[in-house]
Amino acid sequence: MILANKWEDYEILECGDGMKKERWGDIVLVRPDPQVIWPRATPDWGKYDALYHRSAKGGGNWDYRKSLPESWIIKYKDRRFKIRPTNFKHTGLFPEQAVNWDWFSKKIKESKRPVKVLNLFGYTGGATVAAAAAGAEVCHVDAAKGMVAWCRENAALSNLSEAPIRYIVDDCVKFVEREIRRGTKYQGIIMDPPSYGRGSKGEVWQFERDLYGLLQKCSKIFDDKGLFFLVNAYTTGVSPTVVGNLLRESMSGFSGNVSSGEVGLPISNTLNTLPCGLYARWES
């Protein structure tokens, strides 16, 4: 497991009984997490600002103990991100991904050459902001218009409004197919595909069925002198080794190494860590 353990504005305070208590800047939230199957060490959650209740019918709602701002800002190193509790429990940022941001940012900086990065299923742009801050030209693609707008906000908060970032609202597979026809090449590719999703025109995505095909397509737009290819996943029941195998097969025409494993976050009140998904990395 690789740990995102360099945060100052984010912290998992404690976990138990299917929930995690987190500090986002000065605001403390309690949210469900399916990996937390151990009991809570304390009788209750103590002080917190909002707790998310999951509904038995799907979805859920926030129970606010006090009035919170609609959104607020947290920082990671020189980057800043807007946090906003959504009605599907998320906050607009996956803090465990900071360990991947640091990895590819170092590779971009140390390359000392122009680097073009494609971020697929880019969400609110944590990886896009990190890559742009490291000096890359970035193409950010997501099927949800609101998420792409949120990415633009995060870039502005990190003083990257004028950075070479393209913001694309589109189905990721169809976008890659067009890039193949155009002959576009990228030196870095990042993707965070969902378990299930729909494109901008209703296209259906299923992780187990469609990931390999997309990786194959992406290999056709990867530069011969490319630096890295990162796949993140949160699909339950999929092994990091499986995703690593798919990436290795797809990148068999390139000279590089593949590694895979879990990403995680430390839990402050114990020596334990919380697994938060998986990664597979190809690097030259």
Side-chain angles (χ1 to χ4, degrees), residues 11-260:
E11 173 183 18
I12 296 182
L13 300 170
E14 60 178 305
C15 295
D17 297 334
M19 306 285 279
K20 58 185 176 183
K21 180 179 177 182
E22 308 160 287
R23 178 179 62 82
W24 299 83
D26 296 327
I27 294 174
V28 176
L29 305 178
V30 180
R31 299 189 294 160
D33 192 297
Q35 298 287 350
V36 183
I37 62 173
W38 54 90
R40 192 166 59 209
T42 55
D44 58 50
W45 289 112
K47 293 183 179 179
Y48 64 85
D49 299 307
L51 184 148
Y52 188 87
H53 293 283
R54 188 179 294 282
S55 169
K57 299 180 180 179
N61 64 278
W62 288 95
D63 176 20
Y64 292 95
R65 281 189 166 180
K66 69 177 186 180
S67 179
L68 296 181
E70 181 182 354
S71 64
W72 63 97
I73 308 303
I74 69 170
K75 63 181 181 178
Y76 181 75
K77 298 183 177 179
D78 59 346
R79 284 146 259 161
R80 285 168 170 74
F81 303 99
K82 184 181 85 168
I83 302 302
R84 178 173 62 83
T86 67
N87 57 8
F88 47 95
K89 93 168 182 177
H90 294 303
T91 63
L93 194 69
F94 291 92
E96 63 273 10
Q97 289 302 323
V99 68
N100 280 321
W101 304 340
D102 290 345
W103 169 72
F104 65 68
S105 294
K106 182 180 179 182
K107 296 191 74 66
I108 292 168
K109 291 176 181 177
E110 290 182 348
S111 72
K112 300 188 183 302
R113 59 185 171 97
V115 176
K116 184 185 290 186
V117 172
L118 174 62
N119 186 14
L120 297 170
F121 310 96
Y123 193 49
T124 62
T128 293
V129 169
E137 176 185 342
V138 187
C139 181
H140 176 98
V141 186
D142 197 283
K145 184 178 180 180
M147 296 299 102
V148 176
W150 197 332
C151 173
R152 193 184 291 271
E153 288 184 74
N154 283 333
L157 289 169
S158 294
N159 297 316
L160 294 168
S161 293
E162 303 302 318
I165 303 173
R166 292 175 63 204
Y167 300 95
I168 307 293
V169 179
D170 201 354
D171 174 75
C172 289
V173 175
K174 291 192 173 180
F175 178 81
V176 170
E177 290 171 346
R178 286 199 300 275
E179 292 290 80
I180 293 171
R181 294 193 293 270
R182 295 179 184 124
T184 308
K185 297 292 183 180
Y186 294 90
Q187 291 77 44
I189 296 180
I190 302 163
M191 67 168 67
D192 196 343
S195 301
Y196 177 88
R198 288 189 177 272
S200 58
K201 295 182 181 179
E203 303 89 343
V204 176
W205 164 272
Q206 292 180 359
F207 185 91
E208 293 92 338
R209 183 192 68 191
D210 297 325
L211 177 60
Y212 183 64
L214 179 57
L215 292 174
Q216 289 280 304
K217 289 181 171 67
C218 285
S219 70
K220 297 179 181 179
I221 59 173
F222 195 76
D223 192 273
D224 289 340
K225 296 181 180 179
L227 290 175
F228 66 89
F229 196 137
L230 170 65
V231 182
N232 297 303
Y234 294 88
T235 301
T236 303
V238 175
S239 164
T241 301
V242 170
V243 180
N245 290 345
L246 293 176
L247 183 57
R248 185 178 293 105
E249 290 294 317
S250 300
M251 298 296 286
S252 60
F254 299 86
S255 179
N257 299 306
V258 172
S259 60
S260 61

